[in-house]
Amino acid sequence: MTTVYVRDKDKATQEFNCSDGSTGVLKVEDMKTAPTYYFKFYAHSHPSFRLADNEFHDGEELTIRDILDNEQVALKFI
């Protein structure tokens, strides 16, 4: 399982680091009703994914389904 380290509920674009040494960018997209958090990894080390506001919690564990594989990811707020 890869842990993604992000700042809690930061409403601005932020770069993040992961437990496996990979990095990426988190963009907060306002969908007019609730924010959506878009995670994009640099160098395509993991598939990109989106989370709704009610899914964006410290310790959240999720499975990212990709064409080739499923990945386990956990969020850790710093």
Side-chain angles (χ1 to χ4, degrees):
M1 179 175 298
T2 302
T3 302
V4 178
Y5 300 101
V6 296
R7 292 187 304 273
D8 177 20
K9 300 280 185 177
D10 194 339
K11 298 297 181 191
T13 298
Q14 61 176 287
E15 292 188 342
F16 60 80
N17 296 310
C18 299
S19 58
D20 64 0
S22 59
T23 58
V25 63
L26 167 60
K27 294 183 180 182
V28 181
E29 301 172 339
D30 186 3
M31 303 305 262
K32 297 186 182 173
T33 56
T36 300
Y37 301 90
Y38 176 58
F39 292 79
K40 180 168 176 41
F41 294 87
Y42 297 135
H44 306 289
S45 52
H46 303 284
S48 299
F49 64 94
R50 282 184 168 81
L51 291 178
D53 191 46
N54 64 345
E55 300 172 305
F56 190 68
H57 302 288
D58 186 34
E60 183 79 21
E61 293 183 5
L62 50 125
T63 301
I64 305 169
R65 289 172 175 73
D66 193 24
I67 295 170
L68 300 175
D69 199 6
N70 292 333
E71 289 199 42
Q72 299 293 317
V73 174
L75 297 181
K76 178 66 180 163
F77 291 169
I78 55 173

